[in-house]
Amino acid sequence: MNPDLRRERAAASFNPELLTHILDGSPANTRRRREIENLLLNDPDFQHEDLNFLTRGQRYEVAVRKSACMVKKMREFDIADPKEIMWFKRKLLVNVDPMNLNYTMFIPTLLNQGTTAQQEKWLHSATGAQIIGTYAQTEMGHGTHLRGLETTATYDPKTQEFILNSPTVTSIKWWPGGLGKTSNHAIVLAQLITKGKSHGLHAFIVPIREIGTHKPLPGITVGDIGPKFGYDEMDNGYLKMDNYRIPRENMLMKYAQVKPDGTYVKPVSNKLTYGTMVFVRSFLVGEAAQALSKACTIAIRYSAVRHQSEITPGEPEPQILDFQTQQYKLLPLLANAYAFQFVGTYIKDTYHRINEGIGQGDLSELPELHALTAGLKAFTTWTTNAGIEACRMACGGHGYSHCSGLPRIYVTFTPTCTFEGENTVMMLQTARFLMKSYDQVHSGKLVCGMVSYLNDLPSQRIQPQQVAVWPTVVDINSPDSLVEAYKLRAARLVEIAAKNLQTEVLHRKSKEVAWNLTSVDLVQASEAHCHYVVVKLFSEKLHTIQDESIQAVLRNLCLLYSLYGISQKAGDFLQGGIMTESHITQVNQRVKELLTVIRPDAVALVDAFDFQDVALGSVLGRYDGNVYENLFEWAKKSPLNKTEVHESYYKYLKPLQSKL
């Protein structure tokens, strides 16, 4: 063990194991998660050459081998619970999984939108990987704008079949993971046409490759879209369909139905057909927490091991984590990671709770679920994307090397800012819900849930001729008081966006044009709403913590998260009269004080995330801190070092030098 890390851990003010139990949900969950991990950590089937030294084709092959092995091991160890499957995949498969969409989108869509008969037909085969499914929604010409998707599914009552077509180049399905070479089925989102009328997007189970030979079926053109910014192990693909017929029973019909004669039976709510996207967006919030937690673990451990420069001339080089600037880079991100851990758990639980209600016919909370998952997906993935890069740069030159693990985390995570909805569009979806809620309040109705703060708008409380005044009593050492400040900021920005939208509507004939001309304000309102939700959930989590030492360290992280956010958005709090200039000065000073308070616990706080080295995939973030000797060993494995003299020397350099 590196002596610096040994000292850091010995000086911690709390027991990281207790905090790990909180993050996992219980000591029993921690035990079970570790049991699953330890079953496989030393399994030779999961060993492979460092992916950084392989070609894309080799990396894909390794990923498929490990995916197949994963299915076998899940059967062998009886791992069937969705939560346990995610522990298995998230902690151990540091590479991208070509079969991932089978478990995260294909099967959940079948469960949420398929009838009992459809589930009986396909579910067992999908869980056992006889069917390997993907989710084909995005097209070359359209992604987030679902109404613009062009793929058609036209019902033929004579044969009781749907005829699927990709009528244009832009209608070719593009990007689905696992589509290129791995999957043999896809859930295809297509515009349903029956009796000459279009009924919008619906989901269809489409066989795309022959079972046994894996060759594309007649009428199907399918393949890999080529190298990307990252995700080298994933065969993101394209799919073109030409008059391709599937049985009527292949339309998922739990909500919407097409009768044998072509009669269309519409669902109770059109939003029900988008259940998979809501599920994935809620899932991505948790993935953001995991990715940022990994990046913070690497950067903070390395910052405790790395010594450089001088604080006091003539003194030994300090750990770079002792520099205030390094703390200012990393510790607010650590606070972010913890905030997102708790938000991820909340949104996952909320999704399952509301989804159960939907199954019993209660759709009352569905609009807010859509808005919350869309906004939080955007808010957390934007923050995490920038945070991973900040962690990489905080590791100096070594952070640029793939050995740090940070480039891989970044390129693997960054697509989340665009898939399942581009983030700006996601924020605008949240804004639509906020504007509707604002209008409800102004029509005399009360709203509930996370937008209930709109019931207390100053403009709602004042009498005619009075001026709206925001409270300015803020205790910067009270998480609950800071929640109130964020609430007021959100309420103010929602009201500003709503009034600006109303003004534009009065000046324009088109509401759509008015919406576009107010969209910057609308995104800012949604961002403020999501920021408030995160602060609120973090603060509420503190009230559930029994252990005093854990409560104290999490309280400091909550304060740092909240105050750092205020310092970065000071203008919003000042312009609204929510805080004064004196408040902001105090906030900035308190942030620096919290850096000093949290610094001794930094290593223990990342240890509590409980990432084993194989899952972290980083030389810089090793638990034992033995960075430099392992950095040298890693470099020696480069294929360029297999020979003392590379063949290019004899081909190009030696002839060049002999002419001198």
Side-chain angles (χ1 to χ4, degrees), residues 244-289:
Y244 184 69
R245 289 175 174 264
I246 59 173
R248 182 182 70 89
E249 291 77 13
N250 283 37
M251 173 181 161
L252 293 179
M253 295 197 195
K254 182 176 182 178
Y255 299 116
Q257 298 174 17
V258 171
K259 299 293 186 182
D261 66 352
T263 301
Y264 177 71
V265 180
K266 66 180 182 179
V268 177
S269 168
N270 289 330
K271 287 185 169 62
L272 290 171
T273 59
Y274 299 147
T276 302
M277 288 186 299
V278 175
F279 166 75
V280 174
R281 288 168 189 166
S282 67
F283 168 76
L284 289 176
V285 176
E287 289 300 284

Side-chain angles (χ1 to χ4, degrees), residues 8 155 164 239 247 295 330 361 379 397-398 407 496 556 611 650:
E8 294 285 339
Y155 185 64
L164 280 86
L239 172 64
L330 296 179
F379 183 80
H398 291 327
I496 287 173
N556 287 332
F611 293 114
Y650 299 106

Side-chain angles (χ1 to χ4, degrees), residues 401-458:
S401 170
H402 273 293
C403 78
S404 72
L406 291 164
R408 169 173 291 277
I409 295 172
Y410 183 82
V411 299
T412 300
F413 183 78
T414 194
T416 62
C417 294
T418 49
F419 66 57
E420 294 315 303
E422 190 276 330
N423 278 355
T424 300
V425 180
M426 291 298 92
M427 283 298 194
L428 288 170
Q429 285 190 12
T430 302
R432 288 193 185 279
F433 177 75
L434 293 174
M435 294 302 101
K436 288 179 182 177
S437 299
Y438 181 88
D439 290 343
Q440 283 182 300
V441 168
H442 273 263
S443 67
K445 299 177 183 176
L446 291 177
V447 293
C448 57
M450 288 293 184
V451 292
S452 59
Y453 59 82
L454 294 176
N455 297 325
D456 300 320
L457 286 167

